[in-house]
Amino acid sequence: MLEGCYIFLILGLIELLPQRFKSAGYFIADVIMTTLFASIILYVAYFNTVPTYFALFQLGQVSAISDSVISLLNPLYLLMYLDIAILLVFKWSKKLPFPTPKVDKRWVRTSVTVAVIMAFGIFVYYKGVDIANPVLAAENKGILNYELLNIYKNPSATVKPLDPNLTPAEINEKIAKIKGNTIIPDHKKAMFGAAKGRNVIIVQGESFQNFLIGLKVNGQEVTPNLNRLIKHSLYFPHVFQQVGPGNTSDAEFIMNTSLFPQSYSATSIAVGNRHFYALPRLLSDEGYETMTFHADELKFWNRDELYPALGFDHFYEQPLYGNKDIVGLGPSDDVLYSKGIDILKKSKQPFYAMFISMSSHHPYKIPEDKQGLDLPKRYEGTIVGDYLQAQHYTDAALGRFIDKLKAAGLWKNSIFLFYGDHFGLDNDMLNRNERALMQELLGHPYTDVDRYNIPFIVTIPGVTHGEERNIIGGQLDFLPTLTNLLGIPIENRLVHFGQDLLNTDSNTIGMRYYMPKGSFINEHIIFQPNKNFDDGTAYNIWTGEPVKDYKNYRVDYERVIELENLSDAYILSLPHQINANKMP
Ligand code: GP9
Ligand code: MN
């Protein structure tokens, strides 16, 4: 009914065209509508949420991830274009089986007026209806109506900037109050300064999920190097992704700011023109040389704006890595690390170096000579098998990188962090056989808790000795955990929405975009609202069982929304970058 009204309006408008333009009008409208719906289906398959016009800003990236897009194409989608193909055949054979009838224009005008009034009524009615879950919202409001409402209600325009005169200390106090935390003085914090003055080396693992850690297939460890590293590290196995539509770049943003990413657009695109007092700036002020390495072009995800916004001194992008040893989107992780280590060896110390791996990017097809696992036949040709091979390679390349750091004498005076940027597999991309493989690997059906769970590993060579920490955490918590270990006070200097995982005994992880606004994970449940809190769904994160009585956790729901709103407001209060122009 809702769609019908808009479609009727479009058809009516075409009918108002002069007779000779009508068939072309119908044909063009058909192609546009079909392509719109096909793109929405594809987007939902990849991101699990309904796209809005903001997705158009990412169109430039589609060719770079064409392998991913192609792997998602289902031949059945072509059926959507069947009518267009048939029409073309008739057109070419000049035998249209039906004439374009002449309709009384008065009737058309009346119908169009009725359709306009109805569409307007529907639009106005749904303007005031707030449904947290975008898929449900699009279903309820009608997809075309939903798209128009998003254009009308630009989500970024609804946020009011925070008072720019508030100091970081005041904002951090507000955050602690919302969370119900008391700020612990630095000298009382566990492990404060345990890595003081050391180099900081961070590796962000592409699509790297926690279930890979310690996993064995056919008697082989999938991640032998990380498993070994964990024996000398602090390992946080209950940490969850918090990225939004900017995926990899959002994870980079969160690591460096401890702020929530934007919910409607890649953060680097939406607010990359702001000036953040972020980790690179903080470490620069502490005498560090700061740099980031990624074997893609800076233009992808608008990093040419994001990196200066965060304050990195240097960014090493393509073409530094050449065009040899290509895996998926670009040069392999081995190339990334080899080029990187040459630069680190020459760099002034202490340095902060961030590495963004890429070889294990969706659709996880890596060259045969890099497939180090001997997998049983049933994994062949499955995305699960490809994923395991790709992450096994990620782990191997990382192992070689660590060996090189050791050989160069850089390892022992560094602190090393590893985490995953976001999930790699989700149930919607798995067929029945692949879901069975996941169940076989995990010992239980693959759930959203498994999907969003990423590892967080912190190694301070000579200091950490293999300890597992059971606290729940999120990507926003990485920055305060790191600065605590470096012994750098941040309460009065850097606004952070995450908390130091070494000095926390309770935590709630807010997530939006991949889950509706207000979704959270706490020590007990994973929760997502549907229309609102009361009709939400909750599962026990330890057993996967549905939780009916979750009403006690309303405080977590309200808390994460309040924190996300405050983070958005804070970002909007930041000054624009001076020389916000992109780097040459
Ligand atoms: C692109 C790479 C992949 O530069 O980082 O990004 P993703 O598609 O995972 O966001
Ligand atoms: Mn990624």
Side-chain angles (χ1 to χ4, degrees):
M1 160 67 190
L2 294 175
E3 300 309 356
C5 186
Y6 279 92
I7 305 266
F8 195 68
L9 176 60
I10 294 167
L11 299 185
L13 288 174
I14 296 170
E15 272 304 321
L16 286 178
L17 292 173
Q19 188 69 14
R20 64 202 144 101
F21 293 132
K22 275 195 205 166
S23 47
Y26 278 119
F27 185 76
I28 292 169
D30 191 358
V31 173
I32 293 178
M33 295 301 278
T34 307
T35 307
L36 177 73
F37 287 130
S39 329
I40 291 175
I41 291 176
L42 208 64
Y43 192 94
V44 175
Y46 190 73
F47 290 104
N48 242 343
T49 188
V50 185
T52 63
Y53 68 100
F54 283 102
L56 296 175
F57 299 120
Q58 286 165 28
L59 274 185
Q61 293 176 188
V62 172
S63 64
I65 53 161
S66 55
D67 283 356
S68 280
V69 177
I70 291 167
S71 81
L72 291 166
L73 287 177
N74 182 333
L76 277 179
Y77 296 167
L78 286 177
L79 281 181
M80 296 177 74
Y81 285 92
L82 192 62
D83 55 333
I84 292 169
I86 293 172
L87 279 177
L88 281 176
V89 170
F90 281 129
K91 179 89 188 135
W92 276 321
S93 63
K94 295 204 164 54
K95 275 191 208 136
L96 266 186
F98 38 84
T100 323
K102 277 209 161 90
V103 189
D104 184 344
K105 284 265 193 269
R106 274 178 310 169
W107 278 107
V108 179
R109 273 194 285 272
T110 317
S111 314
V112 168
T113 316
V114 172
V116 168
I117 293 170
M118 283 176 70
F120 186 71
I122 291 168
F123 182 87
V124 171
Y125 173 73
Y126 280 106
K127 198 159 66 75
V129 179
D130 213 10
I131 299 178
N133 185 333
V135 180
L136 199 69
E139 228 171 80
N140 272 259
K141 300 181 181 185
I143 184 74
L144 297 174
N145 192 35
Y146 177 79
E147 294 297 335
L148 287 180
L149 281 167
N150 265 293
I151 295 173
Y152 173 76
K153 261 191 173 178
N154 176 349
S156 62
T158 55
V159 184
K160 293 222 165 38
L162 201 64
D163 174 0
N165 294 318
L166 286 173
T167 64
E170 286 165 338
I171 303 172
N172 285 331
E173 257 165 45
K174 258 182 195 287
I175 296 168
K177 203 164 153 216
I178 298 172
K179 291 184 172 192
N181 288 348
T182 31
I183 295 174
I184 310 171
D186 289 329
H187 68 274
K188 287 199 177 152
K189 283 186 183 164
M191 295 191 81
F192 182 75
K196 196 160 191 54
R198 289 185 181 226
N199 301 316
V200 177
I201 303 171
I202 300 182
V203 172
Q204 179 174 295
E206 175 58 45
S207 307
F208 200 102
Q209 292 182 224
N210 188 57
F211 77 86
L212 298 160
I213 302 289
L215 184 70
K216 276 192 173 170
V217 196
N218 220 6
Q220 306 144 89
E221 285 178 273
V222 178
T223 60
N225 293 288
L226 282 167
N227 297 347
R228 217 174 9 254
L229 182 70
I230 283 173
K231 297 200 177 108
H232 308 279
S233 308
L234 292 166
Y235 168 43
F236 299 84
H238 309 298
V239 165
F240 297 90
Q241 71 166 63
Q242 291 177 289
V243 298
N247 287 331
T248 306
S249 58
D250 276 358
E252 294 174 65
F253 172 81
I254 302 172
M255 171 72 240
N256 284 294
T257 59
S258 191
L259 300 172
F260 284 96
Q262 301 294 291
S263 60
Y264 58 93
S265 159
T267 303
S268 58
I269 296 172
V271 294
N273 56 354
R274 302 277 167 171
H275 182 277
F276 295 88
Y277 191 70
L279 187 60
R281 287 212 165 86
L282 177 84
L283 292 182
S284 280
D285 288 348
E286 297 290 319
Y288 280 70
E289 188 84 7
T290 66
M291 60 202 96
T292 183
F293 299 82
H294 187 43
D296 199 355
E297 286 172 9
L298 269 189
K299 282 204 300 292
F300 203 105
W301 285 135
N302 206 32
R303 289 178 173 106
D304 48 352
E305 210 166 49
L306 177 68
Y307 291 161
L310 298 173
F312 276 110
D313 294 326
H314 313 283
F315 10 99
Y316 297 101
E317 52 137 353
Q318 272 294 38
L320 170 77
Y321 306 94
N323 50 15
K324 292 213 177 70
D325 200 23
I326 300 294
V327 178
L329 296 182
S332 70
D333 288 354
D334 272 302
V335 174
L336 170 81
Y337 297 135
S338 319
K339 294 281 178 194
I341 194 116
D342 289 345
I343 290 165
L344 293 188
K345 278 187 203 160
K346 288 186 222 138
S347 173
K348 164 172 126 3
Q349 294 190 44
F351 57 73
Y352 161 32
M354 184 170 198
F355 288 83
I356 315 299
S357 83
M358 194 164 71
S359 297
S360 47
H361 192 274
H362 185 268
Y364 319 119
K365 300 273 183 218
I366 62 165
E368 215 152 297
D369 61 339
K370 287 194 160 52
Q371 298 180 12
L373 286 173
D374 179 17
L375 292 178
K377 260 242 156 335
R378 58 186 183 284
Y379 285 85
E380 250 172 50
T382 69
I383 195 167
V384 177
D386 292 347
Y387 181 69
L388 295 179
Q389 292 287 13
Q391 296 299 8
H392 182 69
Y393 168 70
T394 295
D395 174 83
L398 182 61
R400 289 187 278 274
F401 179 43
I402 293 175
D403 288 345
K404 282 185 190 157
L405 287 167
K406 285 180 181 163
L410 293 170
W411 182 251
K412 59 179 189 313
N413 55 349
S414 295
I415 171 171
F416 177 80
L417 265 59
F418 176 85
Y419 62 88
D421 62 351
H422 50 74
F423 70 88
L425 297 176
D426 95 78
N427 270 321
D428 285 344
M429 55 166 89
L430 306 179
N431 59 33
R432 203 185 315 168
N433 170 36
E434 290 163 338
R435 286 184 199 196
L437 288 176
M438 288 306 287
Q439 174 148 7
E440 169 188 321
L441 289 173
L442 301 176
H444 61 254
Y446 186 57
T447 65
D448 271 355
V449 175
D450 301 313
R451 174 183 171 200
Y452 297 129
N453 183 201
I454 51 169
F456 179 43
I457 299 165
V458 181
T459 322
I460 312 173
V463 175
T464 51
H465 295 291
E467 234 188 284
E468 212 170 286
R469 296 290 181 119
N470 281 324
I471 184 77
I472 298 282
Q475 289 170 319
L476 272 79
D477 299 323
F478 298 165
L479 185 152
T481 308
L482 171 65
T483 51
N484 173 56
L485 289 166
L486 290 172
I488 301 176
I490 57 169
E491 288 315 322
N492 298 330
R493 301 165 75 182
L494 191 147
V495 173
H496 56 98
F497 283 75
Q499 53 202 63
D500 165 14
L501 294 176
L502 293 160
N503 292 280
T504 293
D505 41 38
S506 154
N507 207 354
T508 304
I509 312 308
M511 200 192 290
R512 51 186 187 178
Y513 186 71
Y514 278 105
M515 288 173 90
K517 189 179 171 83
S519 298
F520 64 84
I521 299 175
N522 65 17
E523 284 94 4
H524 310 285
I525 61 167
I526 178 168
F527 172 81
Q528 76 165 63
N530 278 309
K531 282 189 175 150
N532 50 46
F533 178 77
D534 298 313
D535 68 348
T537 15
Y539 294 93
N540 182 310
I541 59 164
W542 309 106
T543 65
E545 292 296 317
V547 176
K548 286 235 160 53
D549 187 17
Y550 59 80
K551 298 286 186 285
N552 288 346
Y553 301 112
R554 185 183 284 274
V555 60
D556 290 288
Y557 167 76
E558 284 166 357
R559 188 172 279 164
V560 296
I561 292 180
E562 204 176 339
L563 289 168
E564 287 162 358
N565 289 345
L566 185 61
S567 174
D568 292 348
Y570 167 65
I571 291 175
L572 279 195
S573 75
L574 292 173
H576 286 92
Q577 277 192 82
I578 319 165
N579 300 330
N581 54 318
K582 304 192 173 191
M583 304 309 283

